[in-house]
Amino acid sequence: MMGHTGSYRHTSEAKERGTTMTDLSVVKNKQQAAWSSGNYAEVGNRILLVSELLCEAVDVRAGERVLDVATGAGNAALAAARRFADVVGVDFVPSLLDQARVRAAADGLDVDFRVGDAEALDFDDDSFDVVLSACGAMFAPDHKRTASELVRVCRPGGRIGMVNWCPDSYVGALFRAIAAHVPPAPGVEPPGRWGDETYLKELWGDTATVVAPRKTFRFRFPSPEHHVDFFASQYGPTVKAFEAVGEAGAEALRSDILEAVRRYNRADDGTLVLQMDYLEVVATKR
């Protein structure tokens, strides 16, 4: 999940350069509204596996201080807490943090969940041994600022672990289907760029070394049609897309999403086994 709130200088800077640029604070506000709609926890609790695997990839150790950015309902934060780390999780959707706290209590885990902004983390430099984000910070609109914040709060020699959907994966196809009906704001980098290892190396430059193997997760549903209905009611960006097109455009949007679903379906028995390709990122701060 993600996106975050704050005020920035993008509009004035663009005017100085004589260019047109979307005010990213407006984009962030719209993202917050999107992720607050539906119930992302219903989606997130079905992809728990990638957060558990991420904690193994970054080698979370007992007693380490861990920050989970754009935690949503807490998948990666809870995975780190299961490994006896000292964990903080931040997100900009309070209702999701409430669900994360309920989950932590049910599992007997101690996690400090706070409202927070991926582009302006309220922590000192070098505060954490490990910084995580599973399918979260990649959706913040200002990529450079977000990447800078992730590395800033990580200690030298610490690890940044991310799960980022690949642009040629189902998630990329889903957002392209949505964009055909509800065009994104001009000048905003697509979140799928975080699923490109070369791009990540450009973002972090000489501040971190990046290893990002491509992995696959299988998302399972009763049918392709069930998945579309599920996302239309639970996954914020899809909820808002259907609201935007209204009744007149709903059938066409649904058809395009269903076509993308079927393209990535690996089942042959009428159910849905959706191939979800992602980068499992481990960046080590220099």
Side-chain angles (χ1 to χ4, degrees):
M1 245 199 43
M2 278 318 51
H4 302 275
T5 56
S7 59
Y8 300 102
R9 303 185 306 275
H10 295 89
T11 302
S12 60
E13 289 174 353
K15 289 178 179 177
E16 290 173 6
R17 294 194 302 270
T19 62
T20 299
M21 181 178 290
T22 297
D23 183 348
L24 294 190
S25 65
V26 174
V27 175
K28 286 154 71 75
N29 289 336
K30 289 183 177 180
Q31 286 186 336
Q32 185 178 34
W35 293 113
S36 299
S37 65
N39 185 4
Y40 179 76
E42 289 292 327
V43 179
N45 65 21
R46 288 170 168 83
I47 58 172
L48 292 169
L49 180 60
V50 298
S51 291
E52 293 288 346
L53 293 173
L54 179 64
C55 283
E56 291 300 297
V58 299
D59 195 23
V60 172
R61 303 291 180 92
E64 286 191 313
R65 185 158 168 76
V66 176
L67 175 66
D68 182 23
V69 178
T71 188
N75 282 2
L78 296 173
R82 291 187 189 99
R83 290 157 175 80
F84 297 96
D86 178 9
V87 185
V88 179
V90 299
D91 200 277
F92 75 153
V93 179
S95 61
L96 289 175
L97 294 174
D98 289 341
Q99 293 189 65
R101 294 183 185 104
V102 170
R103 293 175 66 196
D107 288 350
L109 299 172
D110 184 14
V111 180
D112 180 6
F113 288 110
R114 311 179 188 179
V115 174
D117 181 345
E119 295 178 0
L121 295 169
D122 191 20
F123 302 100
D124 292 336
D125 296 356
D126 309 331
S127 293
F128 295 92
D129 301 294
V130 178
V131 178
L132 303 174
S133 188
C135 317
M138 65 175 289
F139 289 102
D142 191 331
H143 293 192
K144 289 184 178 179
R145 190 181 186 105
T146 301
S148 177
E149 282 294 272
L150 295 177
V151 77
R152 179 186 67 78
V153 300
C154 186
R155 67 165 174 81
R159 294 93 68 205
I160 302 164
M162 302 185 75
V163 172
N164 295 335
W165 301 120
C166 296
D168 59 347
S169 70
Y170 165 66
V171 176
L174 169 65
F175 277 93
R176 286 190 292 274
I178 291 174
H181 298 265
V182 185
V188 177
E189 293 285 354
R193 296 203 70 186
W194 285 86
D196 179 339
E197 184 175 4
T198 299
Y199 181 64
L200 296 181
K201 290 179 178 178
E202 292 173 358
L203 277 178
W204 276 312
D206 61 2
T207 64
T209 58
V210 179
V211 177
R214 187 179 179 115
K215 300 292 183 73
T216 294
F217 168 74
R218 299 298 171 96
F219 210 12
R220 301 170 190 270
F221 286 83
S223 69
E225 294 79 8
H226 179 278
H227 171 83
V228 176
D229 290 341
F230 181 84
F231 263 45
S233 64
Q234 304 297 332
Y235 189 63
T238 318
V239 172
K240 286 299 183 182
F242 276 100
E243 287 181 3
V245 301
E247 186 176 346
E251 183 177 350
L253 175 58
R254 177 184 169 82
S255 177
D256 284 352
I257 295 175
L258 191 57
E259 190 279 329
V261 170
R262 288 172 172 157
R263 194 186 325 149
Y264 289 89
N265 188 12
R266 299 299 175 256
D268 58 5
D269 60 357
T271 68
L272 176 62
V273 178
L274 195 58
Q275 181 171 328
M276 306 280 282
D277 293 338
Y278 66 94
L279 291 191
E280 186 178 74
V281 181
V282 179
T284 304
K285 182 172 177 178
R286 290 174 173 159

